[in-house]
Amino acid sequence: MKSAVLSHPEPVCIPEKKVWLEVCGWKVPAGFASPAADHTRKRIDLNEHLIRNGAATHIFKVKGDSMIDIGIYEGDALLIDRSIEPRHGNIVLAVLNNDFTVKRLHRRGGVIKLVPENPRYPTIVVKEEEEFSIWGVVTYNLHKLY
Amino acid sequence: MGGAVPQLALVDCNNFYVSCERVFRPDLVRVPLVVLSNNDGCVVSRSNEAKALGIKMGQPWFECKELAEKHGILAFSSNYALYADLSNRVMSILNDFAPRHEVYSIDECFVDMTGMPKLREVSYAMRERVGMWTGIPVCVGIGPTKTLAKLANHVAKKHPRSKGVFNYNALSEGQKALLLQRIPVEEVWGVGRKLTKRLECHRVRTVQDLKQAHVPTLRAEFGVVMEKIQRELQEVSCIELQEIQPDRQQIIASRSFGKMVTELPILQDALSTFVANACAKLRGQGSHAAVIQVFLQTNRFRKDLPQYMPSLAVPLPYPTNDSLEVNRWASFLCERMFKPEYQYKKAGIMLSEISPVTHRQGDLLEGDVSSNGKLMLALDTLNQRFGRGTVKVSTQGAYQDWQMRQERKSANFTTDWNEVPVV
């Protein structure tokens, strides 16, 4: 874990709807409606598009390569939503025997499996005596390209 | 309301700081765990396992070391950035359930559920949703007054059979009496250890005793606040939040406005007065605070108007009692929450995680407490003589390099991009 340094204390807050207004930089002729006025609209807010539930969403960074076949690489940032009821086929952040792991959830016929997206890793069949829970459902992967 | 029995719910997070630490450390779910105060001094939050091992609230950590080694008790430094963020999440969920609520501290919130159908189901749903969305376990206590809601919450916490929800209003008169007879009077909100001793002299030992105590004697001996507590136990609502000092050390400064306020600068102006008062109180008792929480409220009695009761907490960059520094944060939080479409009736601030100033200085300046104390005194004297702000500590430069001792702090999992958990 990183050393304890108090960072600038600005919590990742529940995104209230932030609205950036584009400002018209030209003079508006009196008496006529500006033809550009209709094009003034708010800028896209990524919070709105990527986070469906701010109170329940957290960011985790990826370690390892067990999910590379669906484009989840080491160092990527995952958005994880705890408010979604996990379903068969979802990519989930699971807790298996006290350890976090990101896998595809397989849940059919009373059998729970954690399926990697990399043929070099085995599928994990969750045994009854094992401690298992799902921390949240992965909703987005933020992968840096530049 | 038309005479309907008020249904006030107190939602209280269980072992809040410890629960926050566990959200990102599932490996610690059954490990005995404590969270320490500023500079790793005293225990301020305990897991149930740590409680069972005999660790006391407020106990100095050095006293616990032997026990800790024997039983593998883990200790964390306070991570206020994490706690404030998770608290804000919990409160926003409660806000969705009932717009009429009052955030009472970083981990407690009164929710007005009067007239709500299916109270029981809603309470369980509220508990479940907070648990699922945030990972923080909460208990819900419902009563006709704040004092009884708080007491009901105590029952919900103590008795596993309640499954985290207890509704005092659902009891018969006989059951109520039976319950109150079994709870010692010191569990009542606002009755501290000292008052408990004095009440004992009057043979007032249980909550039921207090409820039935002779009113004139009570008033004469204990004053008007105790009389109000008694009325609350008799199901007559008469306590405003600020009248009771909260359990955990904190300072609340708030006020209702004479008329509705709709402008941000006016709200910020009001808050700056609250900040000045609260910080003066801090300085007067030689302490500083590490967390600030700001809340705004619309008029909950004006049902014809849209309601909005947000609150937001942040950790201060370092514990402080500097009005200017605290005010900067109060203004910032106010601006973040402010929405122009509402009419505000009340606003306030809460300062918490209060500790004596000397602790910090002793640790950071290698025990050279007196010289730093003298410096502070000189500052205050100059400011008193020549006006507030004549001499001011250059906060940024001077404080940054001597942060609190926090050797055991977890990462800022939710508030710092470089410290988000790795999986």
Side-chain angles (χ1 to χ4, degrees), chain A residues 4 6-7 9-13 16 53-63 82-83 95 98 100 102 131 135, chain B residues 23-24 26-27 30 85 89 92 131-133 135 314-315 317 336 339 406 412 414-418 420-423:
Chain A
L6 263 189
S7 64
E10 208 179 305
V12 176
C13 76
E16 295 296 338
N53 183 344
T57 299
H58 289 276
I59 302 165
F60 283 72
K61 278 192 186 158
V62 176
K63 195 179 68 188
R82 290 178 58 96
S83 67
V95 182
N98 295 335
F100 280 128
V102 175
E131 272 189 62
W135 200 93
Chain B
V23 170
F24 295 93
D27 54 315
R30 266 172 288 277
D85 178 50
R89 289 167 189 260
S92 84
M132 178 180 178
W133 290 17
V314 287
R336 271 262 281 252
K339 289 183 184 175
Q406 295 187 307
N412 290 330
T414 62
T415 56
D416 187 334
W417 187 263
N418 293 312
V420 301
V422 174
V423 290

Side-chain angles (χ1 to χ4, degrees), chain B residues 372-422:
Chain B
N372 211 36
K374 275 179 204 156
L375 172 66
M376 292 297 161
L377 189 66
L379 284 179
D380 269 354
T381 314
L382 281 170
N383 282 334
Q384 264 169 25
R385 193 175 303 163
F386 300 111
R388 171 108 191 87
T390 305
V391 185
K392 195 163 84 68
V393 182
S394 165
T395 45
Q396 249 61 43
Y399 286 92
Q400 252 169 13
D401 51 359
W402 54 263
Q403 293 185 346
M404 279 192 290
R405 199 166 80 195
Q406 295 187 307
E407 289 159 5
R408 302 156 177 276
K409 192 169 81 64
S410 53
N412 290 330
F413 295 115
T414 62
T415 56
D416 187 334
W417 187 263
N418 293 312
E419 296 187 26
V420 301
V422 174

Side-chain angles (χ1 to χ4, degrees), chain A residues 34-56:
Chain A
S34 161
D38 288 343
H39 302 285
T40 304
R41 57 201 168 104
K42 62 180 193 175
R43 194 177 286 168
I44 289 168
D45 180 353
L46 284 180
N47 280 336
E48 275 180 40
H49 289 272
L50 300 184
I51 300 175
R52 52 190 290 288
N53 183 344

Side-chain angles (χ1 to χ4, degrees), chain A residues 124-135:
Chain A
I124 301 162
V125 181
V126 180
K127 297 184 202 78
E128 206 149 292
E129 68 273 16
E130 285 183 302
E131 272 189 62
F132 174 78
S133 64
I134 290 169
W135 200 93

